[in-house]
Amino acid sequence: VKTNLKSRAVAGMGAGPIGMAKGIIEKQGIKGLYRGLGPTIVGIVPTRSTYFWAYGASKGALAPFIGNGPATHVASAVCAGGLSNTV
């Protein structure tokens, strides 16, 4: 729905999200709402897996030095975000 809305906005055609969803269901069926989900999942799974691994690893490495407080969590999140978005 979001992709179709963006395409129509660029083309100058107006339709709201509910109308767009109804049109997709009428033309393509319920499966049409899930078109493109596979490639999205293929991209998200490795990224999120890398993020959680990096978060745990950096938290374990930083905790002995700066304790297990908010600073450790923030620093771990920054490290994990940087790594998962780079890979």
Side-chain angles (χ1 to χ4, degrees):
V1 173
K2 182 175 88 172
T3 303
N4 285 344
L5 283 171
K6 286 183 178 182
S7 300
R8 289 196 175 244
V10 170
M13 302 173 175
I18 294 173
M20 186 65 66
K22 285 180 183 178
I24 291 171
I25 291 170
E26 287 173 5
K27 292 178 183 175
Q28 302 171 18
I30 294 291
K31 283 186 173 182
L33 294 174
Y34 296 98
R35 198 178 81 207
L37 183 62
T40 301
I41 290 174
V42 167
I44 289 173
V45 169
T47 302
R48 298 312 291 170
S49 300
T50 302
Y51 178 88
F52 286 115
W53 171 80
Y55 180 85
S58 60
K59 185 178 170 191
L62 293 172
F65 298 104
I66 58 177
N68 193 15
T72 303
H73 296 288
V74 170
S76 297
V78 168
C79 292
L83 179 66
S84 67
N85 287 317
T86 301
V87 173

